[in-house]
């Protein structure tokens, strides 16, 4: 059992500074699977090493997607390693052989958590969800289901369920994204409105959005040139603005 700080220091560099120089990288299987089971930021950081062992060294991890699903909690949009996590999640969910119920569960959980996410995270996760729909057309029923649930009280999706197969995500609809179409940030509302139209076949490139920060969003808004808006108004006379009432005779705004 290592201290949390040491776990993080090791896992941050494990995938590119340790594993490539080991004669038998599979010796790290127990360490990485144990780290993956700890939860929180340590689990996120263990994903890099597990990805290498799964794709290059034939590691079999039966509950891998169930554990990845359980990592999706409200903090996922705020953590320091958000970009790394979504980059790897994009790779893990890229296979067209994944069952529809699994991908639908990820889409629903990401959408539900998006209701409380900051704008910079939403501008990344909405294209991420759109890419999942492009890869897995069977999940589009979430968008095009007539008479689907309109809010959380009617939604059959079980947010607390740990297993994607039992979450009933495919029975639901994506009312969360419809809610984001009324978001206070215009760029988020515009991004969410894309699902009202038929999606193009070409996937969105989210690599430039993974590191998007609140500072960059604010800086972009500040640098926008505001258009001159012509205004026409009638100067107020009297206390309540009417010209010929008794208040105008006895009270003045001067």
């Amino acid at each position: 059992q290592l201290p949390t700080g040491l776990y993080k220091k090791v896992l941050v560099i494990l995938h590119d500074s340790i594993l490539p120089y080991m004669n038998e990288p599979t010796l790290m299987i127990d360490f990485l699977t144990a780290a993956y089971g700890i939860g929180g930021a340590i689990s996120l950081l263990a994903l890099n090493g597990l990805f290498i062992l799964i794709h290059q060294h034939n590691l079999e991890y039966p509950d891998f997607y169930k554990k990845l699903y359980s990592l999706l909690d409200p903090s996922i949009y705020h953590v320091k390693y958000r970009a790394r996590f979504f980059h790897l999640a994009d790779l893990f969910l890229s296979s067209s052989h994944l069952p529809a119920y699994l991908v639908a569960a990820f889409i629903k959980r990401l959408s539900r958590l998006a209701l409380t996410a900051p704008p910079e995270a939403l501008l990344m996760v909405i294209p991420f969800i759109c890419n999942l729909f492009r890869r897995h057309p069977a999940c589009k029923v979430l968008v095009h289901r007539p008479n689907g649930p309109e809010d959380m009280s009617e939604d059959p999706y079980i947010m607390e369920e740990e297993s994607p197969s039992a979450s009933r995500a495919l029975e639901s609809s994506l009312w969360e994204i419809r809610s984001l179409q009324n978001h206070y940030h215009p760029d988020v509302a515009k991004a969410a409105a894309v699902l009202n139209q038929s999606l193009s076949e070409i996937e969105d490139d989210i690599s430039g959005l993974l590191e998007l920060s609140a500072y960059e969003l604010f800086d972009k808004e500040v640098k926008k040139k505001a258009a001159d808006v012509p205004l026409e108004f009638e100067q107020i006379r009297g206390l309540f603005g009417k010209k010929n009432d008794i208040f105008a005779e006895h009270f003045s705004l001067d």
Side-chain angles (χ1 to χ4, degrees):
Q1 186 69 29
L2 299 177
T4 302
L6 186 57
Y7 255 125
K8 291 180 179 179
K9 288 180 180 179
V10 172
L11 291 172
V12 163
I13 63 171
L14 186 72
H15 65 287
D16 58 359
S17 299
I18 298 175
L19 287 179
Y21 302 100
M22 293 183 68
N23 292 329
E24 294 184 50
T26 51
L27 292 173
M28 299 301 294
I29 289 176
D30 288 341
F31 172 74
L32 285 169
T33 51
Y36 191 45
I38 289 175
I42 293 177
S43 291
L44 299 187
L45 293 173
L47 278 174
N48 265 115
L50 281 175
F51 174 73
I52 293 175
L53 294 180
I54 290 172
H55 281 259
Q56 298 179 13
H57 302 282
N58 300 318
L59 168 65
E60 292 187 10
Y61 196 123
D63 292 331
F64 177 79
Y65 283 100
K66 181 180 177 181
K67 178 61 182 174
L68 184 66
Y69 180 73
S70 70
L71 290 180
L72 299 179
D73 59 28
S75 68
I76 202 67
Y77 293 125
H78 304 272
V79 291
K80 178 181 177 181
Y81 311 106
R82 184 186 72 196
R84 178 186 293 217
F85 172 77
F86 278 98
H87 170 70
L88 291 170
D90 190 45
L91 291 174
F92 292 136
L93 296 171
S94 61
S95 173
S96 58
H97 299 293
L98 294 175
Y101 77 82
L102 177 68
V103 180
F106 274 90
I107 290 173
K108 273 297 293 184
R109 197 169 182 107
L110 287 170
S111 301
R112 182 67 61 83
L113 296 173
L115 293 174
T116 56
E120 63 271 18
L122 292 174
L123 291 175
M124 175 271 299
V125 79
I126 293 174
F128 183 91
I129 290 172
C130 290
N131 285 347
L132 292 180
F133 280 123
R134 292 183 176 100
R135 297 170 192 167
H136 308 275
C139 294
K140 289 184 179 179
V141 65
L142 294 174
V143 179
H144 302 298
R145 170 167 281 125
N147 303 319
E150 295 294 330
D151 56 33
M152 199 179 300
S153 61
E154 302 173 1
D155 198 340
Y157 171 68
I158 307 171
M159 181 72 173
E160 296 76 20
E161 176 58 53
E162 294 182 359
S163 173
S165 59
S167 66
R168 300 178 63 190
L170 273 176
E171 302 174 32
S172 183
S173 74
L174 224 57
W175 59 266
E176 295 93 344
I177 301 299
R178 288 201 299 274
S179 299
L180 292 178
Q181 292 173 6
N182 299 311
H183 197 271
Y184 67 86
H185 197 291
D187 291 347
V188 173
K190 182 179 178 181
V194 170
L195 284 176
N196 291 340
Q197 308 155 9
S198 56
L199 293 173
S200 62
E201 295 183 2
I202 302 174
E203 290 191 9
D204 295 323
D205 182 13
I206 65 168
S207 58
L209 302 172
L210 293 175
E211 300 278 3
L212 191 63
S213 66
Y215 175 81
E216 290 173 319
L217 274 187
F218 184 79
D219 194 51
K220 178 183 174 184
E221 292 297 321
V222 168
K223 291 180 179 177
K224 279 184 178 178
K225 291 185 177 180
D228 293 329
V229 181
L231 299 175
E232 183 178 348
F233 68 96
E234 184 176 343
Q235 189 170 358
I236 293 176
R237 292 182 65 248
L239 187 62
F240 295 108
K242 295 182 180 180
K243 290 183 178 179
N244 301 314
D245 66 353
I246 191 170
F247 292 102
E249 295 178 12
H250 299 285
F251 294 94
S252 171
L253 296 178
D254 293 338

